[in-house]
Amino acid sequence: MMLLRWLASGMFALSLSAPLMSEDAPPLVADSPIETLFTDFGLPDGPAWDGVNTLYIPDVKGAKLYRYNPAKNERSVVLEDSGRLSASFFNLGRLYVSDNGNGRISVLKGKTLEVQDQQDPDAKPPIRPNDLVVDKNGGVWYTLTGQNQVAYVSPQGQRSIGVEGIDSPNGLILSPDENTLYVAAYKPKQIWKYAVTGPGKTGPGALFATMDDGPELGADGMTTDRAGNVYCAGAKDVWIWSPAGKLLHKIVCPTRPINCAFGDANMQSLYITGFGGLYRQKMNISGKPPQIPTVASVQPANEKVPPTAVPETVQAHLDVVYAQEVDRKLLADIFVPTTGAGPFPAVLVVHGGGWVHGDKTKFRAMAVSLAACGYVTAAIEYRLAGEARFPAAIHDCNAATRFLRAEARTYHIDPNRIGAVGGSAGGHLVGLMATGSDVPELQGHGGHPDQSSRLQAAVVLAGPLQIATGSVAERSRATEGPSFARHFFGGSIDEARSLYELADAYAKISKDDPPILFQTGEKDNPALNADSQEKLKGAGVWTDLKIYPDGQHGCWNQRPWFDAMLGDIDGFLQEHLKP
């Protein structure tokens, strides 16, 4: 985002370099060309996705703040005379901006910018924030390029210097677990990493990566994806490194890139700002969505959407690392009751999305509401098909159960009372956890091998248990239209039968399985798991089906169905997770 980039720009070939990842993993970048969306900016800079439907783009040279709705392909002006905004970042329901021209960090409130941190306007040389990133508590890290510093302002407005003596700091980003701060040094084209030791505090810096593509300056704006891979705009390309610093890919841009951010409903588009405008590259891997609001005052008012605010009776632990596969850290949002004697029963909450989309924030309302009922809940992420194919996802789910048992004292959990709730594809994974806990191939190596992954209760919200037979297998053979299963397993039932059979929860039903409650909307597919129910009953396993009038697929995240389904889940868990 260096403002010096106004002085020079270059045109480059529109193509993707050969991917640098191993052949056994899905490629990061989708097999589609980069798109040019708009070319009429003065100079677009750090974009930010709001987690719903809007991409914000500051036009630093045109002195405007734009919003873009990709679903409608509509762009509009939010602020007509915004001044020199050099970056934006959306988190916790708010848009934070780096107001370079006025030397301040601000938050967008309606049609105005409310100042969060004001530098001394009379300082010589001027102190001007460049790029910024906002942590899960609302603290803001930002680069002071002229001072060779990275500053931090707490949610209470207290400023500190987190990094000293880095040459021309420019872009910066936090790792998904927020334990590492990455900073781009513009002139030497280096990326440095710092362990975050506290709010606004870091340990010694270590060189993470260097752009070795010639003499031209330019390590600029940054982002990460959900796997923790680090993206940085360079002189010609957007560079991508693994968390270990291995170069994975370079996206060649139509013009010199400035910054980048993930966006769109499924977080599978990389938006890139450059000297020629705004570009979009479709990705297979997803970005990490912004944190949703934890307080009611910021949550958008919508009577159909259940509340996601965390009540005073619940303590939130966001982005906790529950497992690690090589350098990939898996995260969970854990919610612990603050009232009651404990230890409490625990519930894993597993999101849906066809094994291809979705993230743990989508089940925030379910996780928070169950915690308010007296359960420790853990809404988990797992590796989606665009990152790693099956059985990675079930390995992650089972690792999460083992983590809860291993950390039972930390989170006041009764390790003998752990259940799980999952919706759609997450329902399949929960069903597989329930029936396949004794299958070694489903366990993975995500940590705590001394602990059991066995559940004591499971709730399946409209997720299929039959995978090697039934509708999932049949749709995988379709030659037209998408099949999420083909992405998840790497082929159709005929091409990857062994994986479909490994994923088949129905085939693994036995008398040792925990009780399973099925829930579905009336207008979804109530007969989806009829065969599984009959087999469970035949094995002597408790099971039941609850059908909710007029409910369609996904009704568990909408009112009025959410409240009825939550009540039934609570009643089921109280009965089957007894001390």
Side-chain angles (χ1 to χ4, degrees):
M1 260 168 291
M2 293 292 291
L3 301 183
L4 295 174
R5 288 197 166 181
W6 294 1
L7 304 177
S9 65
M11 298 297 293
F12 304 98
L14 180 56
S15 64
L16 292 177
S17 66
L20 301 173
M21 295 186 67
S22 62
E23 294 181 358
D24 60 349
L28 292 173
V29 181
D31 185 19
S32 59
I34 194 169
E35 306 169 73
T36 298
L37 298 177
F38 300 99
T39 61
D40 56 348
F41 292 99
L43 187 71
D45 215 317
W49 179 252
D50 76 345
V52 183
N53 57 19
T54 298
L55 183 78
Y56 290 94
I57 313 109
D59 187 344
V60 61
K61 192 174 181 180
K64 292 182 174 65
L65 177 65
Y66 289 90
R67 64 161 52 98
Y68 171 58
N69 184 322
K72 297 180 178 180
N73 195 29
E74 294 178 352
R75 185 184 60 163
S76 59
V77 176
V78 181
L79 297 177
E80 187 66 42
D81 187 15
S82 64
R84 206 163 62 237
L85 303 182
S86 58
S88 62
F89 197 93
F90 196 96
N91 215 19
L92 299 166
R94 298 179 174 94
L95 182 72
Y96 297 76
V97 297
S98 176
D99 188 345
N100 181 277
N102 292 305
R104 62 179 63 144
I105 301 295
S106 299
V107 174
L108 181 67
K109 294 289 184 70
K111 291 288 186 178
T112 62
L113 293 176
E114 182 178 284
V115 177
Q116 295 288 103
D117 187 38
Q118 174 69 65
Q119 297 288 339
D120 181 359
D122 298 322
K124 302 297 182 183
I127 304 175
R128 301 191 186 280
N130 191 345
D131 204 348
L132 79 166
V133 63
V134 183
D135 66 25
K136 60 193 172 190
N137 299 312
V140 184
W141 297 86
Y142 58 94
T143 49
L144 296 173
T145 306
Q147 286 68 38
N148 293 332
Q149 296 174 329
V150 178
Y152 178 85
V153 58
S154 72
Q156 295 76 35
Q158 298 172 327
R159 186 195 308 153
S160 59
I161 301 300
V163 176
E164 289 270 19
I166 179 171
D167 186 357
S168 56
N170 191 351
L172 77 172
I173 197 68
L174 289 163
S175 61
D177 65 358
E178 300 195 0
N179 289 330
T180 303
L181 178 70
Y182 298 96
V183 185
Y186 178 76
K187 292 179 182 178
K189 296 168 66 173
Q190 296 173 336
I191 312 300
W192 287 76
K193 66 176 183 178
Y194 302 83
V196 177
T197 58
K201 298 179 180 179
T202 65
L207 182 62
F208 174 74
T210 301
M211 295 176 172
D212 55 355
D213 59 347
E216 191 172 9
L217 303 180
D220 213 322
M222 305 179 72
T223 193
T224 60
D225 60 31
R226 61 182 288 151
N229 299 315
V230 179
Y231 297 62
C232 185
K236 301 177 182 179
D237 316 316
V238 173
W239 295 54
I240 310 173
W241 297 275
S242 75
K246 176 185 177 183
L247 182 61
L248 301 177
H249 201 101
K250 290 193 286 185
I251 300 174
V252 181
C253 299
T255 62
R256 186 170 182 167
I258 299 173
N259 212 319
C260 54
F262 277 86
D264 286 357
N266 293 319
M267 295 299 290
Q268 286 184 314
S269 290
L270 185 70
Y271 285 93
I272 303 168
T273 53
F275 273 83
L278 178 66
Y279 311 104
R280 177 171 57 201
Q281 175 61 59
K282 293 295 185 181
M283 306 291 289
N284 289 321
I285 199 165
S286 305
K288 184 177 186 291
Q291 286 287 355
I292 58 180
T294 57
V295 294
S297 60
V298 184
Q299 182 179 341
N302 187 334
E303 61 182 14
K304 293 184 179 180
V305 178
T308 60
V310 181
E312 293 183 358
T313 57
V314 173
Q315 183 179 20
H317 304 268
L318 303 180
D319 289 332
V320 174
V321 178
Y322 73 81
Q324 186 164 338
E325 292 279 354
V326 193
D327 56 3
R328 170 59 156 108
K329 296 178 179 179
L330 283 304
L331 305 181
D333 294 336
I334 300 177
F335 302 93
V336 181
T338 57
T339 59
F344 304 101
V347 181
L348 282 163
V349 182
V350 187
H351 70 81
W355 309 295
V356 176
H357 307 306
D359 65 83
K360 57 187 170 63
T361 66
K362 299 297 188 290
F363 271 52
R364 173 67 60 81
M366 181 72 71
V368 169
S369 296
L370 283 173
C373 293
Y375 306 91
V376 174
T377 58
I380 66 167
E381 68 172 10
Y382 53 88
R383 284 170 290 172
L384 300 174
E387 180 184 348
R389 297 189 177 98
F390 184 85
I394 190 63
H395 287 174
D396 299 342
C397 293
N398 284 325
T401 307
R402 297 195 300 270
F403 172 84
L404 292 183
R405 287 202 164 93
E407 298 295 329
R409 288 190 177 183
T410 302
Y411 298 106
H412 309 292
I413 294 170
D414 181 345
N416 297 313
R417 295 190 289 159
I418 297 180
V421 177
S424 192
H428 159 254
L429 292 171
V430 166
L432 189 58
M433 293 166 70
T435 67
S437 63
D438 57 346
V439 179
E441 293 84 357
L442 299 178
Q443 302 309 309
H445 305 283
H448 305 293
D450 57 322
Q451 300 292 332
S452 169
S453 64
R454 178 173 170 77
L455 299 175
Q456 280 68 58
V459 182
V460 176
L461 312 176
L465 266 61
Q466 290 174 287
I467 301 298
T469 58
S471 60
V472 173
E474 288 304 313
R475 283 198 300 269
S476 77
R477 294 187 172 108
T479 57
E480 296 183 2
S483 167
F484 289 157
R486 285 205 305 269
H487 291 289
F488 192 48
F489 298 111
S492 70
I493 176 65
D494 303 308
E495 297 164 324
R497 179 171 295 275
S498 62
L499 290 180
Y500 281 73
E501 290 174 347
L502 182 60
D504 196 304
Y506 168 82
K508 296 173 180 59
I509 291 173
S510 72
K511 63 182 179 61
D512 297 323
D513 294 341
I516 301 177
L517 172 65
F518 294 94
Q519 293 183 313
T520 188
E522 179 187 25
K523 296 182 178 179
D524 195 350
N525 183 6
L528 176 66
N529 285 306
D531 290 344
S532 296
Q533 288 181 268
E534 288 303 311
K535 190 173 181 181
L536 287 164
K537 291 175 182 177
V541 177
W542 187 99
T543 187
D544 195 9
L545 169 66
K546 298 286 188 181
I547 301 173
Y548 300 86
D550 296 322
Q552 300 188 20
H553 197 70
C555 62
W556 49 82
N557 275 332
Q558 303 173 52
R559 282 178 159 165
W561 302 281
F562 173 86
D563 300 296
M565 297 175 88
L566 177 71
D568 288 337
I569 292 170
D570 182 29
F572 166 75
L573 294 175
Q574 285 190 43
E575 175 65 24
H576 295 283
L577 291 182
K578 291 179 179 178

